[in-house]
Amino acid sequence: YSYGTYDFAGPEGTSTGATLVDLRDPTKPKELGHWNAKLKADKIHDVTEVAPGLVLSASAPLMFVDARKNPLRPNALAYGTNVEKREHSVVWPNGGKDRFIMSSFETNVTPRCEAGVGAFTVWDASRWRQTETFTVLDEWTIENGTWTDGRPGLSAPLGCSPHWFEEHPGFRNGGIVAAGFYDHGTRFLEISSKGKVSE
């Protein structure tokens, strides 16, 4: 089965639903509806299988599901505290065994890097089994620059938003992440052992 992202015009309006496709015969894929139909998350943008049958979604809110018993109706294991804010991309290093989850929140066409611009976020994933919740430890946003410092003073046309990112292979409960930012290029971020972000 394939777990997709939101439909452009989904069942609950723009950017809702999350397509479920039967791939048991890959020559004849069959759409079966929405895998998030009975779950409390929508606006799903990025879907990552962090371990066999365990899926994390960048959504509103962040969602971790178990699809091992019934991939047609996965069971929610934990949610993020971002009820209103849809994340763009999400990573849980080390097959979901790391203390941290990382995500980015995309905000297009933001020419100035000020309040409300998208953030790179580190989440606490150390107690989700007890609390069924992921909480924010730290957020980092790009800043306007002076051009000579390696940062544009005005970000156009796409703005200050973070987009995709990837952790270093040696990431273990902290480490280095390479993150792409619209109009600001690639930035290397360090996540401390307490989940704090610095460039």
Side-chain angles (χ1 to χ4, degrees):
Y1 296 96
S2 169
Y3 279 21
T5 60
Y6 59 71
D7 296 323
F8 182 73
E12 302 298 326
T14 304
S15 303
T16 63
T19 307
L20 173 65
V21 178
D22 185 342
L23 293 174
R24 287 176 292 180
D25 180 353
T27 65
K28 296 178 182 177
K30 182 179 178 183
E31 190 171 327
L32 300 178
H34 299 97
W35 63 268
N36 67 325
K38 302 292 184 183
L39 302 170
K40 297 177 184 176
D42 215 335
K43 299 188 182 297
I44 294 167
H45 191 283
D46 182 25
V47 181
T48 302
E49 186 178 34
V50 297
L54 297 173
V55 176
L56 185 64
S57 68
S59 48
L62 206 74
M63 178 171 59
F64 185 45
V65 300
D66 186 347
R68 293 173 295 186
K69 290 182 181 177
N70 184 358
L72 302 179
R73 291 286 179 263
N75 178 45
L77 299 174
Y79 290 96
T81 53
N82 59 314
V83 177
E84 300 296 327
K85 185 173 81 171
R86 189 263 300 156
E87 298 297 310
H88 173 275
S89 47
V90 66
V91 169
W92 194 347
N94 303 308
K97 296 177 181 176
D98 207 89
R99 288 199 314 260
F100 305 127
I101 289 172
M102 295 168 286
S103 68
S104 65
F105 174 50
E106 182 183 25
T107 50
N108 291 326
V109 196
T110 50
R112 295 288 296 167
C113 307
E114 293 162 350
V117 74
F120 174 86
T121 304
V122 178
W123 301 79
D124 183 357
S126 65
R127 301 189 67 241
W128 70 267
R129 285 183 177 85
Q130 294 82 17
T131 64
E132 299 180 358
T133 305
F134 304 117
T135 56
V136 173
L137 290 172
D138 198 15
E139 290 190 321
W140 189 86
T141 55
I142 201 81
E143 296 177 353
N144 296 307
T146 61
W147 301 99
T148 57
D149 64 358
R151 299 180 194 275
L154 181 67
S155 301
L158 292 173
C160 302
S161 178
H163 208 218
W164 299 103
F165 62 90
E166 187 171 351
E167 78 278 19
H168 186 277
F171 193 102
R172 294 287 182 278
N173 301 315
I176 304 296
V177 175
F181 288 79
Y182 288 152
D183 297 320
H184 283 258
T186 302
R187 302 288 162 171
F188 293 92
L189 307 177
E190 183 170 18
I191 316 304
S192 76
S193 60
K194 294 185 178 180
K196 298 299 180 182
V197 187
S198 60
E199 184 175 17

